[in-house]
Amino acid sequence: MASQAPDQAQGLLHVIVTYLEMRAAPDTSPGPPPYPGARTGRIQRPSVAAYRFLYDGVGEPWLWHERRALSDAALAVIVQDPRLEFLVLSEDRRIAGFAELDRRDTPDVRLAYFGLLPAYIGHGLGPWLLGHAIHEAWQGNTRRLLVNTCTFDHPAALGLYQRMGFVITRSVMRRTPDPRLSGLLPLNAAPHIPLAW
């Protein structure tokens, strides 16, 4: 039987987190939607249930787990903060994805979360939603727009951020407990990432 690496035996996953920033608003606007039925809408202070629908639906394939671990009360404190803004993408009135802008450290703005529900990936909606999020982030007194991605995310994520004008500032290797082993996520989530048995 093959021996496991020590971290795997302890249920830990290795992940590379890449931090990026944008220091000036882009000259271009998001442009027309890739499909006639695509729309974005801004919301603030979503209900916990609505937020969990977005976060869980978009994030499960990429092992998003930090906010799953929060109680409803703790999550409400975050998502109902008026300094957070949410762009929700819909296609033909069906929710397709979201972007979360965090202005709690202004004049820096953080693109805290961004992504699509699995059925909408690969149809040109991601770059369009990201363009809208970037445009919204630069409204006001913004000095920098920050985002991070990691090796658990969609393989095209880093390249997309760079094409949209973000510049890498640093990358770090981290070890994190596998959230599937604790029950935060189902064991079949993110099948592209081997379980850390």
Side-chain angles (χ1 to χ4, degrees):
M1 182 163 111
S3 63
Q4 290 182 311
D7 285 344
Q8 284 182 313
Q10 297 170 21
L12 298 176
L13 294 169
H14 287 259
V15 59
I16 299 171
V17 182
T18 300
Y19 296 85
L20 304 97
E21 69 177 18
M22 183 184 291
R23 288 188 167 266
D27 296 330
T28 58
S29 66
Y35 302 101
R39 303 274 185 275
T40 60
R42 289 179 60 185
I43 60 170
Q44 285 188 296
R45 299 180 177 173
S47 70
V48 167
Y51 183 81
R52 287 199 190 278
F53 170 81
L54 293 168
Y55 182 89
D56 294 352
V58 170
E60 184 172 303
W62 318 113
L63 295 187
W64 293 6
H65 64 277
E66 291 88 353
R67 291 191 175 170
R68 278 186 183 240
L70 298 177
S71 69
D72 284 354
L75 183 58
V77 169
I78 296 170
V79 302
Q80 293 177 357
D81 189 312
R83 296 168 295 176
L84 268 63
E85 300 169 14
F86 303 88
L87 284 178
V88 177
L89 170 68
S90 62
E91 186 185 27
D92 294 329
R93 299 185 182 185
R94 293 185 300 269
I95 299 297
F98 82 109
E100 178 181 329
L101 295 172
D102 184 344
R103 296 184 183 273
R104 290 179 291 180
D105 292 322
T106 123
D108 290 346
V109 177
R110 181 172 303 281
L111 178 57
Y113 290 97
F114 160 75
L116 303 178
L117 292 167
Y120 296 94
I121 294 172
H123 304 289
L125 290 165
W128 187 68
L129 174 59
L130 181 56
H132 273 276
I134 291 169
H135 177 77
E136 289 296 325
W138 284 101
Q139 304 308 303
N141 242 4
T142 304
R143 177 184 65 181
R144 288 188 306 168
L145 177 55
L146 307 170
V147 69
N148 64 268
T149 186
C150 74
T151 49
F152 294 163
D153 286 335
H154 190 286
L158 180 58
L160 174 60
Y161 289 132
Q162 292 176 293
R163 284 194 306 278
M164 298 296 277
F166 286 94
V167 175
I168 295 173
T169 58
R170 65 189 172 106
S171 293
V172 296
M173 171 78 81
R174 293 202 176 137
R175 294 179 300 173
T176 184
D178 190 331
R180 296 166 294 188
L181 301 182
S182 65
L184 277 175
L185 287 161
L187 287 175
N188 63 353
H192 62 289
I193 302 168
L195 287 163
W197 290 113

